[in-house]
Amino acid sequence: MHEFSIASEIVNHVLEAAQKNQGKKVLSVQLEIGELTLLNVEQVTFWIQELFKGSIAENTKIKVRRIKARIACEACGYRGKGRSNQEDFSSHFALLNCPRCKSFQIKIEKGQECLLKRIQATR
Ligand SMILES: [Zn+2]
């Protein structure tokens, strides 16, 4: 139920922000979810919509941008796409390493974020 807790956090943020800005109705919400977050995007949006029901954000459009994984290799200085031992990044056992020198001494620069990018509301 990881998706549920993320969704309720996002919902709280959205409603709080809308209230602070005297929003009457939330029109759309934009999220950025990294492909390394292991989150099921459909489930996250499903729960957000469920939790919005009965609030000023009911029927809000939810847009999700998937953020590709980017790594920086500390061994050879490579920066860019990571290489995974599995096709599917959302697997819990996916290990990233450097595609150039195969080192696992990497820093993940992108792909782990789950951000609330933008909220559109009417006043
Ligand atoms: Zn490397």
Side-chain angles (χ1 to χ4, degrees):
M1 289 299 270
H2 193 46
E3 280 79 6
F4 180 78
S5 54
I6 295 281
S8 54
E9 228 174 275
I10 292 167
V11 166
N12 288 341
H13 277 298
V14 170
L15 295 178
E16 218 174 87
Q19 252 160 26
K20 257 192 216 151
N21 296 294
Q22 278 105 38
K24 289 241 165 25
K25 178 125 190 66
V26 179
L27 301 175
S28 75
V29 170
Q30 198 186 330
L31 306 173
E32 283 188 359
I33 298 181
E35 65 181 350
L36 300 174
T37 55
L38 310 180
L39 289 168
N40 180 318
V41 173
E42 286 77 46
Q43 272 187 45
V44 174
T45 41
F46 169 80
W47 282 118
I48 291 173
Q49 271 156 343
E50 282 298 304
L51 292 164
F52 273 159
K53 278 183 185 164
S55 77
I56 57 162
E58 188 161 0
N59 299 323
T60 291
K61 233 200 240 153
I62 299 163
K63 299 175 203 160
V64 180
R65 227 183 104 208
R66 290 295 264 171
I67 306 297
K68 290 251 178 263
R70 306 272 301 179
I71 62 153
C73 178
E74 289 177 343
C76 76
Y78 168 88
R79 291 178 82 174
K81 260 182 80 165
R83 208 181 69 114
S84 171
N85 62 342
Q86 313 221 351
E87 273 297 292
D88 183 8
F89 277 122
S90 55
S91 157
H92 286 255
F93 302 105
L95 261 175
L96 282 175
N97 68 355
C98 174
R100 194 151 81 187
C101 72
K102 314 282 186 282
S103 169
F104 283 94
Q105 274 185 57
I106 53 149
K107 265 206 298 243
I108 293 167
E109 298 196 315
K110 267 186 176 185
Q112 289 181 309
E113 53 277 86
C114 179
L115 300 170
L116 181 56
K117 261 312 232 207
R118 203 147 60 139
I119 304 168
Q120 260 194 324
T122 53
R123 292 203 181 189

